[in-house]
Amino acid sequence: MQITVLMENGSRGSLCAEHGLSLYVRHSGGTVLLDAGESGDFIQNARQLGCPLDTVHTAVLSHGHYDHADGFPALFRVNSAVKVYARPQVLEPQYSADGEYIGLSALLREEYANRFDLSDEQRSLFPGLWLVPDAVAHEQSLVAKTEGGLVVMNSCCHAGADHIVADILSRFPGQKVRALVGGLHLMGPGGTSTLGMEPDAVRALARRLTEELGVEEICTGHCTGAPGFALLEEAAPGKIRAIHAGDLLEF
């Protein structure tokens, strides 16, 4: 399978970057868009990267926050048929710990509500690719089965990356996790230059993911933050990879 990073906090070359995430996933002959960033600039990046969006029939919203969802109206303007698979709670208001509204835009919730296909169930998008809900009511993972093991794509891991991976392994007996792709939500309230948990807890998370749960590679950025990323690298050297808009991940 291939994952092209259409939007991330940082970028390669002249590509746009923003605090958001969008992944273009090619797997088993199908194509899925996971998230759409916050502004719609991922459309421009997709054109430069040779990732056609007008023919994508399936999109996924990982969870109900603006930096993953508010680019979807731009997608709808170039693709009149695509449906967005999400959990029902993504259309409900979402707030940060300090009370700031961080949910979907009114435009998306009201004018484009009919473009969402909503379910709280685990479901198959096509052979070898599933949506798996987790403990956060509006969040889900996109899980791909590859020859090397499962590739788990969870954009922010608000439920805890180790809990998410452990749950997925319980749902797919006999499988291993080849890679975990997405943000790990280790940043603090001050943004990606800050750390939101104790350093020892980050080191322990890295060891649990890679040693206890057997995750072979963690490809991360977005809400992980720079201090969190450095601690992951320290605790699991050789298994942590930074992602940027323009990157191509192959598994």
Side-chain angles (χ1 to χ4, degrees):
M1 70 173 295
Q2 293 183 330
I3 302 172
T4 303
V5 183
L6 298 184
M7 184 57 71
E8 239 287 342
N9 295 23
S11 68
R12 305 289 187 189
S14 62
L15 294 172
C16 301
E18 66 187 19
H19 183 74
L21 186 67
S22 181
L23 305 177
Y24 188 89
V25 181
R26 296 180 176 96
H27 184 56
S28 299
T31 304
V32 175
L33 180 73
L34 174 61
D35 291 348
E38 66 171 278
S39 70
D41 284 348
F42 79 101
I43 299 280
Q44 177 182 330
N45 286 353
R47 291 192 184 105
Q48 291 190 52
L49 293 167
C51 297
L53 294 174
D54 56 335
T55 57
V56 171
H57 295 294
T58 303
V60 171
L61 177 57
S62 62
H63 62 291
H65 290 169
Y66 74 95
D67 50 334
H68 299 262
D70 281 0
F72 275 118
L75 175 66
F76 299 151
R77 288 192 286 272
V78 300
N79 187 321
S80 61
V82 65
K83 284 283 189 179
V84 179
Y85 289 76
R87 297 183 70 184
Q89 295 86 350
V90 299
L91 298 180
E92 298 175 0
Q94 305 291 335
Y95 297 91
S96 67
D98 60 4
E100 179 185 1
Y101 181 76
I102 56 173
L104 278 60
S105 67
L107 173 68
L108 199 54
R109 287 187 290 109
E110 296 168 8
E111 295 190 27
Y112 291 112
N114 65 333
R115 302 297 293 270
F116 288 86
D117 186 318
L118 302 172
S119 175
D120 272 328
E121 300 299 317
Q122 177 175 317
R123 46 185 173 166
S124 175
L125 294 179
F126 48 79
L129 194 68
W130 297 268
L131 289 176
V132 179
D134 65 41
V136 174
H138 58 106
E139 192 158 7
Q140 60 185 347
S141 298
L142 183 61
V143 180
K145 184 178 181 181
T146 73
E147 290 185 1
L150 300 176
V151 176
V152 177
M153 293 158 275
N154 189 298
S155 297
C156 280
C157 293
H158 293 105
D162 52 341
H163 300 297
I164 291 167
V165 169
D167 176 62
I168 287 171
L169 286 171
S170 74
R171 292 170 183 258
F172 297 90
Q175 292 291 320
K176 64 177 181 178
V177 175
R178 167 65 185 86
L180 173 63
V181 180
L184 303 191
H185 205 67
L186 304 179
M187 70 180 193
T192 57
S193 64
T194 66
L195 186 64
M197 56 196 301
E198 290 299 317
D200 283 347
V202 178
R203 297 185 187 100
L205 173 64
R207 289 191 292 268
R208 174 157 164 72
L209 286 169
T210 58
E211 297 173 12
E212 297 179 32
L213 295 172
V215 177
E216 294 181 0
E217 186 176 15
I218 300 171
C219 304
T220 189
H222 188 51
C223 57
T224 297
F229 186 89
L231 290 165
L232 293 170
E233 278 194 310
E234 175 189 324
K239 295 187 176 183
I240 313 298
R241 175 177 175 178
I243 58 174
H244 308 80
D247 285 347
L248 177 64
L249 312 177
E250 297 185 284
F251 304 103

